[in-house]
């Protein structure tokens, strides 16, 4: 996915102001989920295969960028997913957006955490954007543009 020079600069400026930078520098920094950005998706559905069965699970969107994103779920069935596997992501609309954006994501990193109070585990997936149709690419680009516009406010 590529952005115009103007959108790239706006994204970098907004991320410098609101985002966090990892130990290594990505082509596009990830924008962490911010509740005040009312178009930023907070939830997604993830679909993957486990044995011969297609699984659908609910995930929280932790961050997003033109080239990747991170989601996490408490669904224990997601423990079977490993780096280099792909899955379908459906970003749920929020605020003034009305379209579900779906992308094939490629898992790049998996982390697991455990809440000792609730006893619930959480699996996080750092993912890159995989195959995406032209119309979904346009929807994803539009969504990112709206997020960046709201970060400027």
């Amino acid at each position: 996915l590529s952005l115009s020079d103007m959108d790239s600069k706006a994204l970098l400026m907004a991320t410098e102001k609101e985002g966090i930078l990892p130990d290594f520098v990505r082509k596009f920094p990830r924008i962490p989920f911010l509740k005040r950005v009312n178009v930023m998706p907070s939830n997604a559905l993830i679909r993957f295969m486990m044995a011969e069965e297609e699984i659908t699970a609910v995930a929280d969107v932790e961050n997003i960028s033109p080239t990747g994103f991170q989601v996490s779920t408490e669904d224990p069935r997601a423990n079977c997913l490993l780096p280099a596997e792909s899955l379908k992501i459906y970003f749920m609309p929020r605020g003034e957006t009305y379209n579900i954006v779906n992308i094939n994501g490629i898992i790049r990193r998996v982390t697991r955490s455990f809440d000792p109070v609730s006893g619930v585990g959480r699996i996080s997936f750092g993912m890159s954007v995989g195959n995406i149709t032209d119309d979904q690419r346009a929807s994803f680009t539009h969504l990112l543009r709206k997020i960046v516009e709201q970060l400027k406010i």
Side-chain angles (χ1 to χ4, degrees):
L1 188 64
S2 64
L3 297 175
S4 70
D5 287 342
M6 191 167 94
D7 287 338
S8 293
K9 287 178 185 174
L11 176 62
L12 288 171
M13 286 174 46
T15 304
E16 285 175 6
K17 179 180 175 189
E18 299 287 344
I20 54 173
L21 292 175
D23 294 335
F24 63 97
V25 178
R26 303 174 188 275
K27 183 174 180 182
F28 296 101
R30 305 272 173 103
I31 302 170
F33 173 74
L34 297 166
K35 195 171 196 162
R36 72 175 175 83
V37 178
N38 72 10
V39 297
M40 190 166 196
S42 59
N43 298 102
L45 293 178
I46 58 174
R47 280 195 163 158
F48 56 93
M49 296 301 289
M50 187 171 83
E52 299 288 320
E53 181 182 0
E54 184 176 56
I55 304 295
T56 301
V58 175
D60 297 323
V61 178
E62 295 180 358
N63 63 50
I64 194 166
S65 83
T67 57
F69 44 89
Q70 182 164 318
V71 297
S72 65
T73 184
E74 293 178 343
D75 192 319
R77 299 172 296 178
N79 275 309
C80 69
L81 296 169
L82 299 170
E85 292 188 67
S86 63
L87 52 98
K88 269 297 228 197
I89 303 285
Y90 299 86
F91 291 107
M92 297 292 104
R94 183 168 172 260
E96 61 187 66
T97 58
Y98 304 106
N99 297 323
I100 293 173
V101 176
N102 66 68
I103 295 172
N104 287 316
I106 301 167
I107 300 171
R108 299 298 180 193
R109 184 175 42 83
V110 179
T111 57
R112 291 173 176 81
S113 59
F114 180 78
D115 183 339
V117 175
S118 69
V120 176
R122 178 169 285 277
I123 307 105
S124 294
F125 303 100
M127 306 184 71
S128 62
V129 173
N131 295 334
I132 185 170
T133 64
D134 289 341
D135 62 325
Q136 289 300 309
R137 181 181 314 278
S139 294
F140 189 54
T141 301
H142 177 73
L143 174 63
L144 290 169
R145 189 170 288 125
K146 296 295 270 180
I147 290 169
V148 169
E149 285 172 4
Q150 285 193 13
L151 284 172
K152 291 180 189 178
I153 297 173

